[in-house]
Amino acid sequence: MTIPATLDVSLNFSSGATFGIDFTLDDSANGILNTNVLSASGVPALVVNLTAQTRSINIRRGRNVARDIYEAGNCIVRILDPDGDFNPQKTTSPYFGQLEPLRKLRISATVGATTYYLFSGYTTSYAYSYDQGEQMSYVDISATDGFRLFNLASVLTVTGQAGGQDTGTRINKILDTVSFPALMRNVDTGNSLTVADPATLRTSLSALQNCEFSEQGALFCNPAGDIVFKNRTNVIASAGLTPTEFNQTTGIPYTNLQFAFDDKLIINTATMTRVGGTAQTVADAASIATYFPHSISVADLVIDTDANALNIATIYTATRSSTTIRIDSMTVDLYDPDVPTATMLDFDYYDNVLITNVQPDGSTIVKNLQVQGIAHDISPNSWRTTLTTLEPTVDGLILSNAYYGLLNDDILSY
């Protein structure tokens, strides 16, 4: 059985947020300025390749659909440790003195000449276990992406903030305040403007997500460990891109479709209040009459005007006031020769998938959805990738689009 891709598991014991191979003077491969990095102490740190010792990899990244927010991505790597090198008290271990939480774990997969990152994060724990005869030891290394760093770093004042900044600029100012590396950011210019920062004590993650919601954009960590912020225009436009087809005949094969048809994601009354502003409420009477009230209230948004708080309430309700049958997730076997491995490894949030499912009676269910979560479960001779899928998170009219270009159905954005 041919492995779908060549895996690489590396653990970087240097401090700081930056991933990458450490800078080594006079080394043709690792001595490249602006490519290789210095550790926090300015000298090369210990980077170890754990691929040969790895026995399983479990990665979970995605949007919490019920809370309507991206959560920190997580990973667990099981390492075979026959020599006890991960014992932090073993003075002869090559890692002695280096085994600390919040070291950098990175997992990638290479297909042909292309490398795809699957996860980049920071270790949170080292859990030790043994076989029944206690003859073999394993270490489960758990890691979480950069959202954990932001949740640990509180902010009171934001360096360089000012009223009238767009949401992307404010996000960059918050990242500057917590010293997150500039080279690890992919931040759009926001479509919406912000008020002066309220200067209240909160986590930097909370401050970042306030800007995300005020924009009705998207903020997340990508598999390379970079912070990505998509503005509202790009979030809406992404739904119009060509989808990848999954079906039981001509498209990518799948298993374990998870269907749902319920009221869990309905919102038909939204109240949005900006910092120092007046509450703005939008209700969809037809939806309330059909599904009963489903409400949300969000306060202290950093949006600049009450009119834009009303815009948020309007677009939020319009996107979520009705329901339809959903495909919450599907699983793909990367060992299946009909599955294009590179396509699966290249997926990230807001990529589109067109799923066709033929029911036992011959009828079909067809859904054009967006990827909002990715999980990899990898072990010897098994690699299953599960995609969490969702309708677009922000509705908007996309001209000449068969799915999202319908007048009186899709709405104009603000």
Side-chain angles (χ1 to χ4, degrees):
M1 185 178 293
T2 304
I3 188 169
T6 302
L7 286 165
D8 184 271
V9 180
S10 65
L11 184 59
N12 185 332
F13 287 105
S14 67
S15 58
T18 304
F19 294 89
I21 299 173
D22 292 280
F23 184 86
T24 306
L25 285 173
D26 300 323
D27 187 297
S28 60
N30 303 328
I32 306 171
L33 288 173
N34 301 320
T35 298
N36 304 118
V37 298
L38 290 172
S39 67
S41 62
V43 297
L46 180 61
V47 182
V48 295
N49 190 299
L50 300 175
T51 307
Q53 299 165 248
T54 298
R55 292 298 175 266
S56 65
I57 300 170
N58 301 100
I59 297 169
R60 298 289 183 273
R61 300 175 53 243
R63 190 177 188 90
N64 184 317
V65 176
R67 295 181 58 212
D68 200 21
I69 198 168
Y70 291 103
E71 294 186 330
N74 297 287
C75 176
I76 300 176
V77 177
R78 169 157 283 198
I79 301 297
L80 179 66
D81 185 29
D83 299 324
D85 289 338
F86 278 84
N87 177 355
Q89 294 184 333
K90 183 179 178 181
T91 57
T92 57
S93 166
Y95 316 141
F96 181 72
Q98 305 262 10
L99 283 166
E100 299 283 353
L102 298 180
R103 302 309 89 180
K104 289 166 286 194
L105 179 71
R106 169 166 274 180
I107 300 169
S108 64
T110 300
V111 180
T114 304
T115 296
Y116 302 89
Y117 292 115
L118 305 183
F119 180 83
S120 300
Y122 308 88
T123 60
T124 56
S125 68
Y126 305 88
Y128 303 87
S129 61
Y130 306 89
D131 62 12
Q132 287 187 343
E134 295 195 358
Q135 300 299 310
M136 191 63 67
S137 59
Y138 299 90
V139 179
D140 290 331
I141 304 175
S142 297
T144 303
D145 69 21
F147 269 28
R148 176 174 172 80
L149 303 184
F150 301 140
N151 201 43
L152 293 172
S154 296
V155 294
L156 179 59
T157 57
V158 175
T159 304
Q161 67 81 31
Q165 290 174 336
D166 69 84
T167 50
T169 298
R170 179 61 58 80
I171 282 173
N172 272 320
K173 297 301 182 184
I174 297 168
L175 294 174
D176 289 343
T177 301
V178 297
S179 300
F180 193 77
L183 293 176
M184 295 177 64
R185 309 179 194 178
N186 185 359
V187 177
D188 286 347
T189 299
N191 299 128
S192 296
L193 302 180
T194 61
V195 296
D197 184 77
T200 55
L201 184 62
R202 71 277 196 204
T203 67
S204 57
L205 180 59
S206 175
L208 291 165
Q209 290 176 332
N210 190 323
C211 294
E212 174 194 24
F213 195 91
S214 296
E215 171 70 23
Q216 287 296 285
L219 179 84
F220 53 88
C221 282
N222 70 14
D226 300 336
I227 292 299
V228 177
F229 173 65
K230 291 182 177 290
N231 63 27
R232 183 171 60 255
T233 294
N234 286 333
V235 166
I236 293 172
S238 67
L241 300 177
T242 302
T244 301
E245 293 191 34
F246 291 80
N247 59 54
Q248 296 134 307
T249 54
T250 60
I252 300 174
Y254 57 79
T255 61
N256 198 30
L257 281 190
Q258 297 294 313
F259 289 102
F261 192 14
D262 52 45
D263 69 338
K264 291 180 180 178
L265 304 184
I266 293 174
I267 297 292
N268 49 35
T269 303
T271 299
M272 305 293 167
T273 310
R274 71 183 183 93
V275 174
T278 303
Q280 304 293 311
T281 300
V282 171
D284 186 316
S287 175
I288 293 172
T290 303
Y291 304 117
F292 301 99
H294 292 65
S295 303
I296 186 175
S297 180
V298 182
D300 295 326
L301 294 173
V302 293
I303 200 69
D304 60 337
T305 65
D306 285 343
N308 275 329
L310 181 63
N311 283 332
I312 295 173
T314 300
I315 200 169
Y316 198 88
T317 302
T319 301
R320 296 163 175 80
S321 60
S322 62
T323 189
T324 182
I325 190 168
R326 303 194 312 271
I327 296 175
D328 285 346
S329 66
M330 64 179 172
T331 300
V332 178
D333 182 0
L334 268 65
Y335 271 94
D336 187 329
D338 293 326
V339 171
T341 302
T343 299
M344 294 302 303
L345 298 183
D346 201 34
F347 274 122
D348 205 359
Y349 308 151
Y350 292 97
D351 287 333
N352 298 324
V353 292
L354 181 64
I355 306 172
T356 301
N357 181 256
V358 180
Q359 299 290 292
D361 66 346
S363 63
T364 60
I365 296 175
V366 181
K367 299 292 293 185
N368 186 23
L369 303 168
Q370 294 194 302
V371 175
Q372 289 293 341
I374 302 172
H376 296 283
D377 293 290
I378 307 169
S379 61
N381 300 321
S382 177
W383 187 332
R384 296 186 179 274
T385 297
T386 299
L387 300 181
T388 301
T389 56
L390 190 66
E391 303 281 352
T393 57
V394 183
D395 196 10
L397 182 70
I398 303 174
L399 292 176
S400 303
N401 184 271
Y403 294 96
Y404 306 112
L406 305 178
L407 291 173
N408 301 319
D409 183 20
D410 299 296
I411 63 171
L412 291 173
S413 181
Y414 62 99

